[in-house]
Amino acid sequence: SQATMESTTGAVVNPKPILEDIKSQAEKAMSAKLEGKLGAEQIAEMQRSFMSRIVELREAERSYDDILEQMERRIQRSMEGATMKWQTKLEEKRYIMKDIRRCKSSDFDAAPLGLASVSQFQAEAPEHLRVGSGKVNTSKRMAFEIYKRGELANYLETLRKKRKLES
């Protein structure tokens, strides 16, 4: 909008009133010429007035050009930021899809993790963890390991407190 547009040199000049004034002056000059009322002094004054208004129009054009350049730079910076975010998200997606394909293409071997055996898991795990089979069962065995380690950590803390009280 007109109110928000400002150039680096100040407020933007609205060219419409300038153009209307030039048109009005030209119409008056044509009427005066047709009536034979246009002398050399009046012609010189009209020329000065036209030139002055043309200079104002050029200044208005420059201010609009400045505004357009500023807007183009802002848009460019905004687009660069958005493009970087988009490229980052695409790269993240590529890595995630690669991991998903790798997981789907091979069976997961839980042996190197030192998980509890299936029989130990079935015997000791809470009921909500024992339901399921296959890969779901493996993830539940991992959850059971975390659960067991938490219980052991709590037990160890209890022993340390007991020892501290005894000494």
Side-chain angles (χ1 to χ4, degrees):
S1 74
Q2 183 71 27
T4 60
M5 291 186 160
E6 289 189 11
S7 69
T8 55
T9 59
V12 174
V13 178
N14 185 354
K16 190 172 184 177
I18 299 170
L19 290 169
E20 288 172 0
D21 187 43
I22 290 172
K23 182 180 176 184
S24 171
Q25 287 181 14
E27 288 172 355
K28 286 178 188 175
M30 291 300 289
S31 293
K33 184 177 181 185
L34 290 174
E35 294 172 8
K37 297 179 182 178
L38 199 58
E41 193 175 301
Q42 290 148 333
I43 291 173
E45 178 59 34
M46 286 184 169
Q47 285 176 339
R48 280 192 294 277
S49 179
F50 280 129
M51 292 308 290
S52 171
R53 299 306 270 172
I54 288 171
V55 167
E56 289 179 43
L57 277 174
R58 286 184 180 161
E59 288 174 1
E61 179 184 23
R62 279 189 217 104
S63 68
Y64 278 103
D65 286 345
D66 290 345
I67 289 169
L68 287 174
E69 286 177 19
Q70 290 174 7
M71 292 172 91
E72 286 172 354
R73 285 192 297 270
R74 286 183 194 146
I75 290 169
Q76 183 67 31
R77 283 192 301 266
S78 177
M79 290 300 293
E80 287 171 356
T83 300
M84 285 295 278
K85 287 179 184 176
W86 181 68
Q87 287 173 340
T88 302
K89 294 297 181 192
L90 281 178
E91 195 65 20
E92 288 174 7
K93 179 184 174 188
R94 189 176 69 81
Y95 278 111
I96 290 170
M97 296 307 291
K98 179 181 172 185
D99 287 344
I100 289 171
R101 281 191 303 275
R102 191 174 58 214
C103 288
K104 285 182 176 179
S105 69
S106 65
D107 287 332
F108 178 73
D109 183 15
L113 296 176
L115 293 177
S117 68
V118 175
S119 58
Q120 182 185 7
F121 169 73
Q122 292 294 338
E124 298 176 17
E127 179 64 33
H128 70 279
L129 291 177
R130 282 187 264 151
V131 179
S133 63
K135 291 182 183 179
V136 174
N137 203 6
T138 302
S139 66
K140 289 185 177 188
R141 284 173 54 205
M142 288 181 194
F144 173 62
E145 284 293 324
I146 292 170
Y147 171 79
K148 274 184 24 182
R149 290 175 189 191
E151 282 187 336
L152 289 172
N154 289 339
Y155 179 68
L156 179 62
E157 186 62 32
T158 303
L159 289 177
R160 285 182 180 158
K161 284 180 183 177
K162 197 177 199 181
R163 186 185 300 166
K164 198 175 200 180
L165 289 174
E166 290 175 359
S167 39

